[in-house]
Amino acid sequence: MRVRKFGLSDASLERSPGQEGDIFAGNVIDQRHGGPITIGYGRYGANQRLEETMAVDDVMLILEGRISVTSRDGTVTGGPGEFIYMPKGEAVTIRSHDEGALTAYVTYPHWQEAHG
């Protein structure tokens, strides 16, 4: 793989697997490109909720809006410019707020393969 630049327009946002809410994800780098990580964007509509046991290590950067993640350790809320780390195996509830949210994410390994 070579050095490349990506923006939101490079992501094809699709509904997150296994859920019916207004939550979409779009990879710009994944297993198809030969690297070890997945990088992409997520878009959350207003007041959405996603419960997940993390199949991969996931780092989420909040670009717009706010995201709260609840785990057995409590709840953390991030806003623009802040990261939330969710380790593999952790049961989490990810929640957007009234304004919805736009995020960028990096996962290791590839989340689509882990959801297989």
Side-chain angles (χ1 to χ4, degrees), residues 62-76:
I62 294 85
L63 301 171
E64 299 174 2
R66 289 181 302 134
I67 292 285
S68 293
V69 177
T70 302
S71 70
R72 65 177 176 223
D73 296 321
T75 300
V76 296

Side-chain angles (χ1 to χ4, degrees), residues 30-52:
D30 57 30
Q31 61 276 9
R32 299 169 294 181
H33 302 93
I37 60 175
T38 295
I39 302 170
Y41 291 95
R43 182 173 302 280
Y44 295 75
N47 302 306
Q48 296 299 297
R49 178 185 176 103
L50 177 64
E51 294 185 16
E52 183 83 29

Side-chain angles (χ1 to χ4, degrees), residues 86-107:
M86 295 167 284
K88 181 178 179 177
E90 189 75 25
V92 298
T93 300
I94 303 169
R95 183 174 58 87
S96 63
H97 298 267
D98 290 344
E99 67 275 22
L102 176 64
T103 67
Y105 55 82
V106 177
T107 73

